[in-house]
């Protein structure tokens, strides 16, 4: 059973930062395509960031380009989404997704941007 | 970006009914479509991948069909736990894009 575990969500002020983490015990994340997808009641499901296996390529949605950045810690087998210059419309549940052909999703972490 | 048009947005059905949910892609995506079930407060759970392959652990009453631009998720006999929301997703190119969802009500 593949388990995808996200962490790092919470409350941030507009203009602030958060870093989301994702681990998949038993799997080397560097060997798989990984994505972050967010969900809001108004906009539905949106793919915000993707990193290909082996470290690249990377993709970012226009809505987060220049503000969000993906990275991998291969030593600790973790994936990170650094979110800077947060805006109210970044408020969403963020899901880490492991793989692409038969993707596995985490349970999500809530990010709330509010003053 | 590839647009995914899912229909209907909601439907009413009864336990035991056969239900079809469709997704149309704005361009051909071969068989690169996945179907998810989402229960309230939970993340999406994969049901069908690559248009017609049943994800391990998904009940066999779920099936998928189609290729190119037209796809269908079929629930052969609705069970009480199936009255939730379903989404399609194209995985041909990034950004992955999703249908708007179908809520299945009693």
């Amino acid at each position: 059973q593949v388990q995808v575990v996200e962490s790092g969500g919470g409350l941030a002020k507009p203009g602030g930062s958060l870093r989301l983490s994702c681990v998949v015990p038993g799997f080397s994340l560097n060997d798989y395509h990984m994505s972050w997808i967010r969900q809001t009641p108004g906009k539905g499901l949106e793919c915000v960031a993707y990193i290909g296996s082996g470290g690249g390529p990377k993709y970012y949605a226009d809505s987060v380009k220049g503000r969000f950045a993906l990275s991998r810690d291969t030593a600790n087998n973790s994936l990170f989404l650094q979110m800077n210059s947060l805006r109210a419309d970044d408020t969403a549940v963020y899901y880490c997704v492991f793989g692409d052909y038969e993707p596995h999703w985490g349970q999500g972490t809530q990010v709330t941007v509010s003053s | 970006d590839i647009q995914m048009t899912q229909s209907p947005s909601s439907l009413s059905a009864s336990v035991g009914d056969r239900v079809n949910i469709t997704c149309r892609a704005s361009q051909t995506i071969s068989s690169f479509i996945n179907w998810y079930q989402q229960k309230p407060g939970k993340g999406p759970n994969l049901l069908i991948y690559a248009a017609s392959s049943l994800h391990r652990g998904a009940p066999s009453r779920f099936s998928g069909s189609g290729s190119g631009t037209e796809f269908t998720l079929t629930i052969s006999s609705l069970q009480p736990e199936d009255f939730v929301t379903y989404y399609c997703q194209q995985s041909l190119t990034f950004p992955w894009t999703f249908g708007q969802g179908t809520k299945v009500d009693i």
Side-chain angles (χ1 to χ4, degrees), chain B residues 29-48:
Chain B
I29 57 171
S30 184
S31 297
F32 290 93
I33 186 169
N34 302 319
W35 290 95
Y36 298 88
Q37 178 190 69
Q38 187 173 29
K39 298 180 179 180
K42 303 292 187 181
N45 279 325
L46 183 65
L47 294 171
I48 301 290

Side-chain angles (χ1 to χ4, degrees), chain A residues 37-99:
Chain A
I37 294 171
R38 67 186 181 186
Q39 184 174 30
T40 61
K43 293 184 68 176
L45 291 156
E46 179 187 19
C47 182
V48 296
Y50 157 89
I51 184 169
S53 61
K58 295 179 185 176
Y59 159 85
Y60 299 96
D62 288 343
S63 56
V64 307
K65 204 171 292 182
R67 302 187 298 119
F68 289 14
L70 276 169
S71 62
R72 268 196 268 236
D73 179 347
T74 54
N76 293 297
N77 208 24
S78 299
L79 176 72
F80 302 104
L81 182 67
Q82 179 66 43
M83 303 188 297
N84 299 327
S85 302
L86 283 163
R87 310 186 306 218
D89 62 359
D90 293 320
T91 296
V93 177
Y94 285 73
Y95 296 99
C96 176
V97 180
F98 169 75

